[in-house]
Amino acid sequence: MLAAVIALVGSLFFALGAALQQFEASGTARPGLLALLRRPRWLLGGASILAGGGLHIVALGLGPLTIVQPMGVASLLFALPIAATLHGRRPARAELAAAGVVAAGLIGLVLLVPEHDGPTHLDPAGVVTLLGVSGAAAALLWAGSLAASAAGRATLLATSSGVLYGATATLMRVLVDGAWNWWYLLALPVPALLALVMLQRAYAVGHFGVSFAALQIADPLTAVAFGALLLGEPLPTGVLPVVAAALTAAGTVALARSSPLETRPDPIRPDLTPSDRF
């Protein structure tokens, strides 16, 4: 029970941080990190995200993964009302319902991944493969976002960020287990920083619900995929993972349709309309 409560509070902090950062990035023509770092509310959002991650780690030390992980997915359900409040509106029922479907599917996928107790080892060639594949996938998603609609652009950019964060999480696991070379540590900030840049660009589009959902989906699934391909970890089998994936996909599509465009006037170019900015 204590692990579940701590994980739930961590999800609330993570959702608050994401909503604050999206509020600051939304409507910005060029959401560069240097510009965002000068905004106290964006920095507060980053601190809140770090606090949420720390609480999640504490919860994992107190309770089983099957209890803690579903609480982490709840951040999507917390984030939408917080973001709507910041933008001065109430979240629509269709938006919350779609987010609930995404959360249900994602919880199913997370819980169906078999546990792996073996050692985590990745040789230098595997690290190069990890960075190369994730970088190429992120670049393709970014390129696709250039010709997509606003909701599609937010989805593709956030998915690109999630892929890079998933690669970062995989490399972090290798570092934590101690089977690494010194340059692994130097390589770690590269996908993490690129993921942060892509995520701010997704937030700047204005469709927070779909971008946050895409991030929540792409990050763990990428980590699971790399774990299977590079670390020899098992994948879920059977019909249930397919059902969970279908729920997640259906909820994301519904969320893209119901998530409103939320942008603020660009403080540098307030004359720009949302379509002009992107």
Side-chain angles (χ1 to χ4, degrees):
M1 181 63 69
L2 180 59
V5 171
I6 291 176
L8 199 61
V9 174
S11 296
L12 180 59
F13 273 99
F14 191 83
L16 175 62
L20 286 171
Q21 288 196 335
Q22 190 273 339
F23 183 75
E24 288 300 313
S26 64
T28 306
R30 290 291 180 267
L33 288 182
L34 292 179
L36 292 172
L37 284 170
R38 293 194 291 268
R39 299 186 180 187
R41 190 153 36 192
W42 190 88
L43 291 173
L44 180 61
S48 183
I49 289 172
L50 290 176
L55 289 172
H56 189 75
I57 293 172
V58 171
L60 285 173
L62 295 174
L65 190 68
T66 53
I67 296 296
V68 175
Q69 287 293 67
M71 298 298 104
V73 176
S75 59
L76 176 61
L77 302 178
F78 289 143
L80 293 183
I82 294 173
T85 301
L86 288 173
H87 286 280
R89 69 173 184 89
R90 291 183 178 180
R93 290 183 180 178
E95 188 181 3
L96 293 177
V101 173
V102 173
L106 190 54
I107 289 172
L109 288 173
V110 167
L111 295 182
L112 289 171
V113 175
E115 293 189 18
H116 179 67
D117 298 327
T120 300
H121 175 73
L122 193 61
D123 58 26
V127 173
V128 172
T129 301
L130 171 72
L131 297 177
V133 171
S134 60
L140 289 174
L141 289 165
W142 169 79
S145 72
L146 299 177
S149 62
R153 188 176 307 119
T155 303
L156 291 173
L157 287 171
T159 302
S160 174
S161 175
V163 168
L164 292 168
Y165 274 132
T168 303
T170 303
L171 187 54
M172 179 66 76
R173 287 179 54 203
V174 175
L175 290 171
V176 169
D177 282 359
W180 54 284
N181 293 328
W182 64 269
W183 66 271
Y184 289 17
L185 191 61
L186 297 179
L188 183 64
V190 176
L193 288 175
L194 289 175
L196 185 58
V197 170
M198 287 293 183
L199 184 59
Q200 302 313 307
R201 289 190 175 274
Y203 285 165
V205 176
H207 286 276
F208 175 66
V210 69
S211 60
F212 192 68
L215 174 68
Q216 292 282 88
I217 295 167
D219 184 353
L221 292 189
T222 299
V224 168
F226 279 133
L229 293 173
L230 300 176
L231 304 178
E233 297 179 351
L235 286 173
T237 57
V239 178
L240 290 179
V242 177
V243 174
L247 276 177
T248 305
T252 303
V253 172
L255 196 56
R257 293 176 177 176
S258 59
S259 176
L261 182 66
E262 295 174 322
T263 60
R264 300 185 303 132
D266 192 326
I268 300 176
R269 291 289 308 279
D271 57 306
L272 294 179
T273 65
S275 60
D276 293 331
R277 294 186 182 108
F278 308 102

